[in-house]
Amino acid sequence: MARYIFITGGVVSSLGKGLLAASLGALLQARGYSVRIRKFDPYLNVDPGTMSPYQHGEVYVTDDGAETDLDLGHYERFTGVSARQSDNVTSGRIYRDIIARERRGDYLGATVQVIPHVTNAIKEFALADTDALDFVICEIGGTVGDIESLPFVEAIRQLKNDLGRGQSVFVHTTLVPYLAAAGELKTKPTQHSVRELTSYGIQPDILLCRAEREIPQSDRAKIALFCNVPVSAVIQALDARSIYDVPLQYHAEGLDDEVLRVFGIEGAPDPDLARWADIMDRVDHPEGEVTIGVVGKYIGLPDAYKSLREALVHGGIANRVKVHIRWLDAELFEKDDADLAAELEPLHGILVPGGFGERGSEGKIASVRFARERAVPFFGICLGMQMACIEGARNIAGIATASTTEFGATAEPVVGLITEWMSEEGLQKRSADTDMGGTMRLGAYPATLKGNSHVATIYGKTEISERHRHRYEVNAHYRDSLEKGGLVFSGLSPDGELPEIVERPDHPWFIGVQFHPELKSRPFDPHPLFAGFVAAAVKQSRLF
């Protein structure tokens, strides 16, 4: 039977519960245990798919097509375990399913209530598909005391009793702030947060205390005394120089040892952390550096491109170089060519990421043209690939009005709405008036690469599977015109209908992909496209 670790947060948000869950999962894995991590989100959206990146950050897509919280990206990157639709649930999804059951009459006329119906649904989610696992780590979104999170807190309180003695551990993250005027750390916020949690019937077993400075032993003893935990269960979490140092940092502080102690597990093997030490050695001792410009529209919130940023870091790890990322607002390049040249000329690589809507599109197209004409390594992802095709159509193929129907009616729809495609469930159909939520081409789909293509060399194979999230596709009717202009369709869906990858063989490194390769990159297994892109940027840097 799987053991459960429940992670809650208090005092303030953004204390790093997701990184805690991912790091703890990695540490338990390093001891030989099997792990799965799940996220409970209190908001009423069914999933984050329709939320603005400025509200939510990145939407992380799983192999099975779920649009999920970005924390699932941390889980995958740290453990290598592919997340599933069943690993992220929201209040909205829980309530939607309960209302549907009520309308069908499944509750036989009973009054539907938060307890037991909502809490039972949450518990069903937590317990599903866990029989073969050693540990299940469940992160509760939000902050203890939030109205939205109360049903989840009540559900995990009940689960502790349902699971039985020794089958669950509660880890609570708190903040221990430093007041410069007083010259000391303050433990009172942690005490109040734990008191709030215990008022709901949950006594935390371990406290992870975020702090800017070392927490003295006297303060740890004070926290332990007032929060009713052993001193060994007060784990300090200082700011790390890299998120990939966090597993090593938490192990040094004794987090995984304390978790096993609370479970009563003795004689567990020491963790093998060699790969994490190697990653940090590469991060701390780079043999060079490159600068990559990301020309996007959501640059005001870095979390909107979280997986992309990490994949570029992984590319740096693969090449043992430090990657500096310049976040560039695509809209700025729509006004002045001089601004574009001034910003892009110092770069060793240009990346145009995915996105939705017309804003900034002309700036992205201008960036593609700059990369093509100046022979700067270029990587286009999703919308970035579509902009590369429109740029090629306008400036080489002579289709001056080339555009995409995403931005409105056009006489030359080089990119158009995809209305049907094949999936494992069979033929999928969509139309312009379909609901926004969950109706894109989502999840992992196979693609076939040309045997003599650049991407086939990069991947080392001709059959791949990558994750998608888009409604629009490059129109295959324009393939001949684009290929005559040097933009080769080097990757297609297995039936040959949907363009997946384009490249320019006459360019040092020019690749556009319809999918999101950043979602499958890991620090210990960098995605080959990002490793190749950074390698090309390294070559470019040596030309300067």
Side-chain angles (χ1 to χ4, degrees):
M1 182 180 181
R3 294 179 172 90
Y4 278 75
I5 301 168
F6 298 108
I7 295 175
T8 56
V11 185
V12 295
S13 60
S14 302
L15 287 179
K17 296 192 302 296
L19 275 178
L20 164 59
S23 299
L24 181 54
L27 291 173
L28 292 172
Q29 265 190 339
R31 292 178 181 266
Y33 295 111
S34 59
V35 173
R36 180 162 289 281
I37 312 178
R38 289 181 162 163
K39 175 71 181 290
F40 302 74
D41 276 311
Y43 52 73
L44 288 176
N45 303 70
V46 172
D47 60 42
T50 59
M51 296 172 70
S52 165
Y54 289 115
Q55 286 278 317
H56 180 270
E58 165 188 82
V59 174
Y60 192 80
V61 179
T62 61
D63 279 336
D64 60 1
E67 295 178 287
T68 70
D69 186 81
L70 61 81
D71 277 337
L72 272 73
H74 287 313
Y75 306 163
E76 283 202 12
R77 285 187 284 273
F78 278 61
T79 67
V81 177
S82 293
R84 302 182 298 216
Q85 188 141 9
S86 57
D87 291 328
N88 187 206
V89 74
T90 67
S91 291
R93 183 170 151 197
I94 293 288
Y95 283 110
R96 180 198 65 182
D97 293 349
I98 287 174
I99 294 299
R101 292 169 67 180
E102 185 271 334
R103 293 289 85 188
R104 289 196 304 265
D106 292 358
Y107 296 116
L108 303 177
T111 301
V112 181
Q113 298 175 288
V114 173
I115 302 173
H117 299 99
V118 172
T119 51
N120 282 349
I122 294 170
K123 291 192 291 182
E124 288 172 10
F125 160 76
L127 296 171
D129 303 323
T130 60
D131 292 340
L133 297 170
D134 294 317
F135 292 96
V136 179
I137 302 174
C138 296
E139 177 195 347
I140 312 301
T143 306
V144 167
D146 293 345
I147 293 174
E148 294 91 344
S149 65
L150 290 180
F152 293 97
V153 174
E154 171 59 20
I156 62 174
R157 183 197 68 79
Q158 294 177 21
L159 270 172
K160 179 180 177 66
N161 295 326
D162 296 345
L163 293 167
R165 186 181 299 274
Q167 289 299 119
S168 62
V169 164
F170 290 95
V171 182
H172 188 57
T173 60
T174 71
L175 178 68
V176 180
Y178 176 80
L179 294 185
E184 60 183 2
L185 293 166
K186 291 297 183 180
T187 66
K188 192 64 71 177
T190 294
Q191 295 177 43
H192 281 301
S193 181
V194 171
R195 186 175 303 165
E196 182 84 15
L197 187 59
T198 56
S199 72
Y200 299 130
I202 295 176
Q203 167 62 48
D205 300 292
I206 299 170
L207 299 177
L208 187 87
C209 301
R210 286 293 306 272
E212 296 179 3
R213 305 189 178 204
E214 290 274 345
I215 303 176
Q217 194 64 25
S218 59
D219 283 345
R220 296 195 198 193
K222 184 177 180 181
I223 291 171
L225 176 65
F226 284 103
C227 296
N228 196 30
V229 297
V231 175
S232 62
V234 180
I235 309 293
Q236 73 171 1
L238 304 177
D239 292 343
R241 62 190 188 279
S242 165
I243 63 172
Y244 302 117
D245 191 39
V246 173
L248 297 171
Q249 184 188 84
Y250 284 177
H251 174 67
E253 293 293 337
L255 174 63
D256 46 324
D257 289 322
E258 190 64 20
V259 167
L260 296 177
R261 184 195 68 77
V262 177
F263 274 120
I265 298 174
E266 298 180 357
D270 291 333
D272 179 2
L273 299 175
R275 72 178 182 180
W276 292 102
D278 177 62
I279 289 168
M280 286 310 302
D281 181 64
R282 290 170 176 267
V283 169
D284 290 338
H285 303 100
E287 296 176 354
E289 55 185 46
V290 295
T291 302
I292 303 294
V294 177
V295 183
K297 62 184 291 187
Y298 309 123
I299 62 169
L301 182 68
D303 274 356
Y305 299 113
K306 185 63 179 175
S307 291
L308 182 69
R309 179 189 183 282
E310 297 309 319
L312 286 169
V313 172
H314 304 163
I317 290 171
N319 291 278
R320 209 176 184 107
V321 297
K322 181 176 180 60
V323 177
H324 299 281
I325 302 175
R326 292 273 300 277
W327 301 100
L328 302 171
D329 187 346
E331 285 188 279
L332 297 179
F333 299 157
E334 298 179 343
K335 301 172 183 176
D336 192 333
D337 289 342
D339 287 344
L340 182 142
E343 292 286 356
L344 299 187
E345 279 179 353
L347 302 177
H348 305 127
I350 296 170
L351 190 154
V352 176
F356 297 90
E358 187 174 7
R359 181 170 62 84
S361 60
E362 293 300 324
K364 294 177 182 180
I365 291 170
S367 300
V368 175
R369 181 172 186 172
F370 182 94
R372 176 178 59 79
E373 293 179 341
R374 303 291 187 94
V376 178
F378 169 79
F379 195 3
I381 296 176
C382 197
L383 183 65
M385 168 184 161
Q386 296 170 8
M387 297 299 99
C389 290
I390 291 172
E391 190 279 328
R394 289 181 182 178
N395 299 317
I396 297 181
I399 308 172
T401 58
S403 188
T404 167
T405 58
E406 181 177 1
F407 305 156
T410 175
E412 298 287 358
V414 171
V415 178
L417 179 69
I418 177 175
T419 56
E420 59 181 53
W421 64 89
M422 291 300 299
S423 70
E424 291 183 358
E425 292 76 31
L427 182 65
Q428 301 291 311
K429 292 188 177 183
R430 300 291 186 268
S431 64
D433 57 357
T434 301
D435 284 349
M436 295 287 287
T439 57
M440 290 182 278
R441 189 175 184 227
L442 294 166
Y445 286 87
T448 301
L449 312 183
K450 278 189 173 181
N452 62 348
S453 64
H454 188 193
V455 287
T457 301
I458 291 172
Y459 275 99
K461 55 187 177 181
T462 57
E463 301 296 328
I464 63 171
S465 176
E466 295 283 3
R467 298 179 189 175
H468 294 66
R469 183 176 183 251
H470 57 98
R471 287 190 180 84
Y472 294 82
E473 288 270 2
V474 174
N475 190 337
H477 294 299
Y478 289 87
R479 178 176 177 178
D480 288 345
S481 298
L482 291 171
E483 290 197 330
K484 286 177 183 177
L487 191 64
V488 175
F489 284 48
S490 55
L492 299 169
S493 58
D495 60 8
E497 295 294 325
L498 301 177
E500 293 279 8
I501 306 177
V502 296
E503 62 180 63
R504 289 192 176 277
D506 59 349
H507 191 281
W509 209 98
F510 189 107
I511 293 174
V513 298
Q514 183 57 74
F515 45 82
H516 288 270
E518 68 271 24
L519 300 178
K520 298 185 77 168
S521 187
R522 313 282 181 262
F524 42 81
D525 186 20
H527 193 286
L529 287 175
F530 281 92
F533 179 53
V534 173
V538 171
K539 290 183 180 179
Q540 183 77 8
S541 70
R542 292 170 182 163
L543 297 176
F544 277 39

